[in-house]
Amino acid sequence: MNRIIKTESEIKKMRMSGKLAAEVLEMIEKYIQPKINTEDINTICHDYIVNKKKAIPACLGYHGFPKSICISINDVVCHGIPNKKQIFQEGDIVNIDIAIIKNQYYGDTSKMFFIGTPSVLSKRLCQVAQDSLYLSLKSIKPGMPLYKIGEIIENYVKKNNFSVVKEYCGHGIGRNFHEEPHILHYANKENNITLKKGMIFTVEPMINAGNPQVTCMKDGWTIKTKDHSLSAQYEHTILVTEYGCDILTWQKNETISPKLINKH
């Protein structure tokens, strides 16, 4: 088990990595337009990470993943592989997942984008996915049982008649892409870890409009909803602080504060 509590110098590096990952999502927004192929988006992000930010795209080559970022459209839940043949269409919803390494430390974040005007369902699904993440982050503080995060997310998602994917979870992050602890996005009391100041991990609920079941495509990476329903995901890397948590991958246009103070 990796050392879960980060030192001050590690936290400083993680703030840098998180900010950098967030900046990639801010930068790419203007390129997310109809008729653009996902390979081009991958190239723009790769060049920005490597040349502008002097960092390493963490996904490239990770367990053999062939590209620098993941792009997941409509019924793709996660790990979509960018390619020239895949072209954004009016009405698509798109998740872009960015993970980078800077000074040997990882930053990891993702968000949804709309191509043109989304359907009412698409918009609502993305809103509920983002709100479920925000709600869970607002509850985080030292002393809280870890399972509460998943409980808050699942309760909110179910109340809105959507479902939570159970196969994939958030994770500790630091010098390694995936560390302890696992952050489940559904109610599960098996994980009896208590949150402590200095923990850094991702929360990244994947929310389906239909059933929670998913299936893996022949490429061994692309995960789709089994019933072909739409899927949405938002992800942040967060640091547990004495007052609540800091969102290390916070982006400028978000409706949530980068420093969450939990007095309850």
Side-chain angles (χ1 to χ4, degrees):
M1 180 145 159
N2 290 301
R3 204 171 39 75
I4 285 183
I5 310 293
K6 302 290 186 270
T7 64
E8 279 309 314
S9 77
E10 286 184 303
I11 288 168
K12 207 172 157 187
K13 287 177 180 158
M14 290 295 289
R15 285 188 189 280
M16 175 76 156
S17 299
K19 185 172 184 292
L20 207 154
E23 284 167 357
V24 183
L25 284 181
E26 290 169 351
M27 176 279 301
I28 201 62
E29 182 145 25
K30 64 176 178 288
Y31 298 99
I32 312 288
Q33 305 283 348
K35 308 280 189 283
I36 303 243
N37 72 63
T38 56
E39 177 66 48
D40 286 348
I41 298 296
N42 179 77
T43 302
I44 294 164
C45 287
H46 177 89
D47 291 347
Y48 182 82
I49 293 165
V50 173
N51 300 324
K52 275 265 171 34
K53 297 296 177 180
K54 308 288 183 243
I56 300 165
C59 292
L60 186 59
Y62 181 74
H63 291 312
F65 190 79
K67 301 290 171 175
S68 295
I69 64 172
C70 300
I71 303 181
S72 304
I73 303 174
N74 296 334
D75 64 338
V76 178
V77 177
C78 60
H79 305 156
I81 303 172
N83 68 83
K84 273 198 162 37
K85 292 195 176 114
Q86 194 174 55
I87 295 159
F88 290 147
Q89 307 293 339
E90 177 74 31
D92 282 347
I93 60 169
V94 180
N95 177 275
I96 296 195
D97 194 340
I98 305 287
I100 62 96
I101 312 165
K102 178 82 175 176
N103 302 325
Q104 297 181 305
Y105 283 83
Y106 284 78
D108 191 5
T109 186
S110 86
K111 68 173 277 194
M112 300 302 295
F113 295 90
F114 299 134
I115 310 297
T117 310
S119 69
V120 173
L121 173 65
S122 298
K123 212 169 169 179
R124 203 176 133 251
L125 176 69
C126 292
Q127 192 63 59
V128 168
Q130 189 176 46
D131 289 348
S132 76
L133 171 62
Y134 284 1
L135 265 178
S136 72
L137 298 187
K138 285 173 182 170
S139 72
I140 288 174
K141 63 177 178 184
M144 172 180 145
L146 180 60
Y147 71 78
K148 278 275 183 215
I149 293 172
E151 207 171 71
I152 288 163
I153 290 168
E154 189 173 42
N155 287 345
Y156 183 77
V157 170
K158 278 186 163 168
K159 203 171 73 186
N160 283 279
N161 300 313
F162 294 136
S163 64
V164 179
V165 173
K166 293 190 172 169
E167 282 83 349
Y168 298 91
C169 60
H171 49 89
I173 184 168
R175 276 188 84 118
N176 301 292
F177 202 163
H178 298 98
E179 299 181 352
E180 297 288 339
H182 296 304
I183 314 295
L184 303 177
H185 303 118
Y186 56 94
N188 185 309
K189 289 200 175 166
E190 278 170 36
N191 211 334
N192 59 3
I193 291 175
T194 301
L195 296 185
K196 291 184 175 64
K197 183 188 159 189
M199 283 183 174
I200 298 181
F201 52 81
T202 71
V203 185
E204 47 181 301
M206 300 171 197
I207 310 303
N208 295 350
N211 296 322
Q213 287 79 17
V214 299
T215 182
C216 187
M217 299 294 101
K218 284 198 179 76
D219 61 26
W221 282 104
T222 308
I223 305 295
K224 289 190 174 186
T225 56
K226 217 163 192 168
D227 61 5
H228 309 294
S229 65
L230 294 168
S231 188
Q233 183 195 21
Y234 287 80
E235 172 183 18
H236 273 310
T237 299
I238 69 103
L239 161 71
V240 181
T241 62
E242 65 270 16
Y243 48 76
C245 77
D246 284 358
I247 303 174
L248 303 183
T249 47
W250 184 83
Q251 292 130 48
K252 289 187 186 82
N253 54 1
E254 296 203 56
T255 57
I256 194 171
S257 164
K259 280 191 186 306
L260 298 176
I261 296 162
N262 186 347
K263 291 272 192 336
H264 306 304

